[in-house]
Amino acid sequence: MMQNNYYSIKFSDDYLTFLDQTKLPLQEVYVTTDDYERIAIAIEKLELRGAPLIGISAAFAIALSFKNISSNHKEHFDQVYKRLASTRPTAVNLFYALDRMKKVFNSITDHSKSYQPLLNEAFAIYNFEQFCSNKIAENGFKIFTKKSNVLTHCNTGSLAAGGFGTAFAVIKKAYDEGYVNHVYADETRPLLQGLRLTTFELEKNAIPFTVQTDSMAAVLMQQGKVDLVITGADRIALNGDSANKVGTYNLAVLCNYHNIPFYIAAPTTTIDRKIATGSEIEIEYRNGSEILSISGSQIANPDIKTFSPAFDVTPAHLIKGIITEEDIYFFPYNFIR
Ligand code: MRU
């Protein structure tokens, strides 16, 4: 998505170019590839990340893998699908996108001509996510009744999604309309998506902000500095239980205690209609070395035992509203349609 003078991904001339998010904000390095394996690695390493963007990137990866393939098409599709599905387990957008690609592949009669229809589908997924960002921003704007201070967690902007993002798109729209006074961005340990990526996007969009470590959010709330909290999500169960970047659950509990509204903003592609509650969400556990080092510099004994879930699940009753491209849904949630 092109915005200001940076973009998360761009597809042109049969190549995907993406911004390596592990190097932000100090370096803006773009990688151009037509190799699905390179894209799979980028997703694993969080060079490409954020639930909707993972799905979009995987869709382009599948299409690109058919650019030059001449035989064994079905076997090839299954292998590429499996590889991409193995990259990260929690964001359901990945599986949503892969399954859309599979449906298209299965509908093609001459598999030697799969590239173009697969590419068309990848663009359709991308375009839909851009549409969702705009609608989420419009719908989310309705929760603002006065000029507010907003706290957010992780990164939910154009680096994480199509368009301007999810929670970030709501914040940007509300700021543009004069309804955001200040943004408090959680640092988001251990990979610092808030400190590195959200501050990068807030700066690029000229939105006033302060950054704090995750544990400092409670003090901000106690001091009356936070009017509302909005985050994204990686997978939402049918009852509204929502998995998002670890630390989100802490915020929801804090909001509940301080009587501050806690909202989630996500496209409906983040709703997993196969699961009833959050207990069925597979949580990714990442290598503990990510806690013991920062940007490749060791900060503690590498042999220390760690506990490193990448996501947590916020129970539905703690979520005041789930802002989607369709509407804002309120507790008790029931996404069965
Ligand atoms: O591990 P990440 O950086 O991919 O986690 C991203 C998040 O948790 C985001 O909040 C979520 O994907 C919503 S992004 C629009």
Side-chain angles (χ1 to χ4, degrees), residues 135-152 166-175 177-180 226-232 255 260-266 319-324 327-331 333:
K135 295 300 279 182
I136 286 170
E138 272 173 37
N139 289 337
F141 175 53
K142 295 178 202 152
I143 66 175
F144 286 81
T145 50
K146 58 168 187 172
K147 199 158 185 163
S148 306
N149 293 329
V150 187
L151 190 144
T152 189
T166 57
F168 189 92
V170 174
I171 293 168
K172 178 175 162 45
K173 166 82 176 161
Y175 177 74
E177 300 287 342
Y179 278 79
V180 168
V226 179
D227 296 307
L228 72 156
V229 173
I230 317 176
T231 75
C255 281
I260 293 169
F262 173 84
Y263 287 94
I264 279 189
I319 307 167
K320 166 125 195 200
I322 298 182
I323 304 159
T324 74
D327 210 342
I328 307 178
Y329 294 92
F330 295 96
F331 182 78
Y333 301 100

Side-chain angles (χ1 to χ4, degrees), residues 46 49-52 88 154-156 160 166 193 232-234 244-245 311:
L46 274 64
R49 46 146 302 280
R88 297 192 72 191
C154 198
N155 170 262
T156 59
T166 57
Q193 288 94 330
D234 285 77
N244 190 49
K245 179 53 56 196
F311 301 94

